[in-house]
Amino acid sequence: MYVAVKGGERAIENAHRLLAEQRRGDPAVPELTLAQIENQLGLAVDRVMAEGSLYDRELAALAVRQAQGDLVEAVFLLRAFRTTLPRLAASRPVDTAAMRLRRRISAVFKDLPGGQVLGPTYDYTHRLLDFSLAQPTRADTPGPRRGAETAEPGTAAGHSPKVAELLAREGLIEPEVADDDAPVGDLTRDPLCFPAGRDLRLQALARGDEGFLLGLAYSTQRGYGKTHPFAGEIRMGAVAVEIVPEELGFAITVGEITLTECEMINQFKGSATEPAQFTRGYGLCFGQGERKAMAMALVDRALKGAALGEDSGGAPAADQEFVLMHADNVEAQGFVQHLKLPHHVDFQAELGLVRSLRAAASAGTEAEAEP
Amino acid sequence: MDATRQEPPSTRTTERQAWLAELALAPASALEAAWGALADQPGWRHLRQPELGLAMVRGRAGGTGQAFNLGEMTITRTTVELAEGTIGHGHVAGRNPRHAELVALFDALLQQPARQADLVARVIAPLAAARAAAVRTEQAATEATRVTFFTMVRGE
C-alpha cells in the first residue's frame, strides 16, 4: 500500500531541471525540431499515435521529444493530453476498401485483382547497417526510381477489392456482417467487463502495446493455441474520416489519416452447425504499423476461438481476460512503476512480522532443545 | 471517401459536401492565400468560437463487419455568420483554429448563389487540382513498387 508522504520539494524540482538538461543534451548539438521528428522518425510517431490512441502527428512528435524517445512514456503523455479535450463527434466507420493504397500485399494469392504493391517496406532489405546514413552531408536522394516491373495498368493505387471479399463471394470464409443498430462499446467510457464483445476487444487491441501483442501472436504460432494463419491481405494508405455534425445532418470529410490493416485468414474445420470454411482475424491501427496490425489480427483470431468452439488448451492468447487486462502499456507501466513510490509503512509492517516470526521460530527451537 | 457513396438528400448537399471536403483537406496556408486574394471580403462574426476537441474514429471488424472504436483524432470546429446572414461551418482535422475558420467562411460564401460559380472556379477547383497532382505523384511512386512474383517449378 502506498502511504502519502511530504517533503522532497526542492529535490524534485532539481530532478526535473536535471531531466530537462539531459533531454536537451549537449548544447553544442542542434536541437531537434518537431518537423524533423515527424518526418525522420515517422514510425516512432506512428507507434505513439496508435498506442496513445490519438491521431495527431505533431502532438505525437512533441511527446516523443519530451520523452527523449521513450515511446511508452510518450504514449502516456498523449493519453493524458486526450483527457483534457471534449469528444465532439464519432466518425462513420472508415472504409478501408476505398483506401488510397501506398502498400498492398497478399500472401495467399499470387495474382489478384489490383495486384501487389510493396510500398515503403523494410522487407527484402538486408538489415545491414548503412554507414552512408551516418554522413548527413551526403546527398539524401536515393537516385532515380527505375521503371515499374510490370506495365499492368495499376488499379492498386485506385480501388482494389479486399482479398477476403473474393473468398466471401464463394462463401468460403466466414462473413463479417455489420449491425449498425448495435451500440459501439467504448472502453474509454465504460470499464471493461467480461466476456467482452468483439468491438471492445478490437478497441483494446488497437491501442494495446505492440510488444505484448507481438509476443502473444508469436505464442499462437509456436503452439499455444491453434489458429493456422495466412496473411490474406495487408494494406497501408490513406482513408478519409467523415463525421455527421448535428448542425448539418449529412456526412462531411474532416481529413485523411494513414492506417495499416491486416486480414488474417485461418483454417477452420467446421462444426455440427457450421460448414468448413476459413475464419478471420482482423488488425487495424493508426499510421504505418504492419507488425502491430499483424500481431493484432493473430490475437483477435485467437480470442474468437471460444466462440468457434475451439479448445485452446488454456493458451494465454485465447484468454480474453489475460490479453485485454494486460495489453495496455499505460496501465501496465503505472502499476509496475508505482512500486517505486514510498512503501515505508508497508515495509515496516512486513519487517516487524518477519522479525517476530523468526523470534517465535527460534524460541520454539530453543524450547524443543531444552528438555 | 467520395461523397457519392451515400444517398445524399439533394445535389445541393453533395456539392456542399464536395467543397467542404476540399477545404478541409487543403493546407490552411492555401486557404489563407485564397481568402487574401478575395477582392470583396465580407464582414463576419463567430456564431461559435473555434473549439478544439476529439473525434472518435471508427473502423469495422474485417472492414465490413461490426463497428468498433479505433482511437481518437484531434479536430477543430467553428461556425461563422456573414454580415448578410449566411451561416458557414468549418470542421477540420488537427488543431488549427484559423483553418476551421477559413473553411467556415468559404462554406458561407459558397452558399451564396451569386458567388458560388466564381468561387468554385477560383478556389475549389485549384485546390482539387493541387490535391490530385499530389495524389498522382504519390501513386506514381507507389506504382513503381508493383511486384510480380513468379512461382518456381519444383521437382520434375
Side-chain angles (χ1 to χ4, degrees):
Chain A
M1 189 181 68
Y2 169 66
V3 180
V5 288
K6 283 173 71 171
E9 191 181 332
R10 196 170 308 154
I12 291 169
E13 211 173 88
N14 286 334
H16 290 171
R17 193 166 295 130
L18 192 57
L19 175 68
E21 281 170 19
Q22 181 187 282
R23 177 189 297 125
R24 176 60 186 89
D26 183 351
V29 178
E31 214 170 357
L32 274 176
T33 66
L34 295 192
Q36 284 171 335
I37 295 171
E38 230 182 293
N39 282 279
Q40 296 168 43
L41 297 176
L43 299 186
V45 167
D46 283 351
R47 182 165 178 184
V48 170
M49 292 196 303
E51 292 168 28
S53 202
L54 181 64
Y55 199 102
D56 188 313
R57 298 194 67 80
E58 196 184 39
L59 286 180
L62 173 60
V64 169
R65 175 166 151 179
Q66 187 176 332
Q68 299 178 67
D70 178 343
L71 299 190
V72 175
E73 182 71 20
V75 165
F76 193 176
L77 293 170
L78 214 54
R79 289 269 188 99
F81 179 78
R82 84 156 268 288
T83 64
T84 66
L85 297 178
R87 169 110 36 104
L88 304 180
S91 84
R92 300 190 348 147
V94 291
D95 184 0
T96 53
M99 183 183 280
R100 200 172 71 239
L101 297 170
R102 291 177 56 213
R103 173 168 167 78
R104 191 260 192 143
I105 56 163
S106 170
V108 296
F109 291 119
K110 189 162 63 71
D111 301 304
L112 71 164
Q116 311 209 26
V117 282
L118 298 179
T121 180
Y122 282 97
D123 297 349
Y124 315 106
T125 63
H126 293 113
R127 266 75 181 213
L128 299 174
L129 274 179
D130 180 357
F131 289 99
S132 70
L133 291 174
Q135 307 299 326
T137 48
R138 241 185 70 136
D140 282 328
T141 45
R145 273 190 302 273
R146 294 162 62 201
E149 216 169 74
T150 47
E152 177 192 347
T155 50
H159 294 187
S160 297
K162 302 290 275 292
V163 169
E165 293 310 305
L166 301 175
L167 292 166
R169 276 183 216 157
E170 290 184 68
L172 295 174
I173 195 165
E174 61 167 337
E176 291 277 15
V177 185
D179 172 13
D180 286 345
D181 296 328
V184 183
D186 186 352
L187 55 80
T188 68
R189 294 283 168 93
D190 303 300
L192 206 49
C193 295
F194 296 98
R198 182 105 183 274
D199 50 347
L200 287 167
R201 302 198 310 250
L202 288 171
Q203 183 182 12
L205 296 177
R207 56 199 254 134
D209 183 77
E210 180 176 315
F212 181 73
L213 297 182
L214 182 66
L216 282 173
Y218 183 38
S219 77
T220 68
Q221 294 179 287
R222 289 195 63 257
Y224 291 86
K226 292 166 275 186
T227 57
H228 305 286
F230 294 96
E233 181 170 6
I234 294 166
R235 44 173 71 198
M236 184 273 290
V239 298
V241 179
E242 292 183 335
I243 62 170
V244 183
E246 267 178 20
E247 62 272 26
L248 288 172
F250 54 83
I252 57 161
T253 301
V254 294
E256 277 185 343
I257 60 175
T258 295
L259 297 179
T260 305
E261 182 187 51
C262 172
E263 289 227 57
M264 288 288 176
I265 295 174
N266 306 70
Q267 280 178 14
F268 180 51
K269 282 194 289 288
S271 67
T273 54
E274 299 287 330
Q277 60 179 358
F278 291 108
T279 56
R280 308 158 74 142
Y282 189 64
L284 185 67
C285 66
F286 282 159
Q288 202 174 327
E290 191 161 292
R291 198 191 299 119
K292 164 71 180 275
M294 291 181 78
M296 175 174 168
L298 288 172
V299 176
D300 172 50
R301 175 58 185 83
L303 291 174
K304 284 166 73 175
L308 292 166
E310 290 171 348
D311 176 18
S312 71
D319 182 333
Q320 273 202 18
E321 195 163 341
F322 182 81
V323 173
L324 302 181
M325 290 305 288
H326 302 122
D328 192 288
N329 57 24
V330 176
E331 282 173 17
Q333 65 89 27
F335 203 58
V336 167
Q337 296 206 83
H338 102 284
L339 292 172
K340 292 183 289 193
L341 297 173
H343 284 65
H344 308 155
V345 175
D346 237 11
F347 189 69
Q348 283 306 312
E350 297 271 322
L351 197 58
L353 183 64
V354 170
R355 280 197 174 120
S356 65
L357 285 172
R358 287 175 64 96
S362 64
T365 319
E366 277 162 30
E368 271 169 37
E370 251 171 46
Chain B
M1 220 169 292
D2 57 31
T4 53
R5 285 191 150 262
Q6 67 240 316
E7 291 80 42
S10 72
T11 327
R12 213 169 147 62
T13 307
T14 318
E15 283 170 5
R16 194 166 174 203
Q17 283 171 319
W19 77 53
L20 282 171
E22 217 53 72
L23 292 166
L25 293 172
S29 56
L31 299 189
E32 194 70 78
W35 178 255
L38 279 187
D40 45 351
Q41 286 182 6
W44 63 277
R45 67 185 183 101
H46 283 120
L47 274 191
R48 181 168 61 186
Q49 291 289 329
E51 183 184 11
L52 168 61
L54 301 168
M56 175 54 92
V57 180
R58 289 191 171 152
R60 286 190 186 282
T64 55
Q66 189 177 2
F68 69 96
N69 289 312
L70 174 64
E72 288 160 314
M73 66 189 283
T74 49
I75 61 168
T76 304
R77 70 177 180 192
T78 191
T79 302
V80 302
E81 184 182 29
L82 301 185
E84 46 64 55
T86 317
I87 291 169
H89 298 290
H91 296 79
V92 295
R95 290 168 294 116
N96 185 346
R98 182 62 179 158
H99 189 187
E101 210 166 80
L102 288 163
V103 171
L105 286 168
F106 279 113
D107 178 45
L109 286 175
L110 280 153
Q111 289 174 67
Q112 298 181 339
R115 305 185 74 138
Q116 195 186 94
D118 180 53
L119 281 173
V120 166
R122 286 202 306 177
V123 179
I124 303 300
L127 292 177
R131 195 163 63 85
V135 166
R136 271 198 305 278
T137 305
E138 180 193 282
Q139 288 184 338
T142 303
E143 199 53 35
T145 68
R146 176 175 293 282
V147 66
T148 307
F149 290 114
F150 298 97
T151 307
M152 307 299 278
V153 179
R154 285 189 279 191
E156 295 206 57

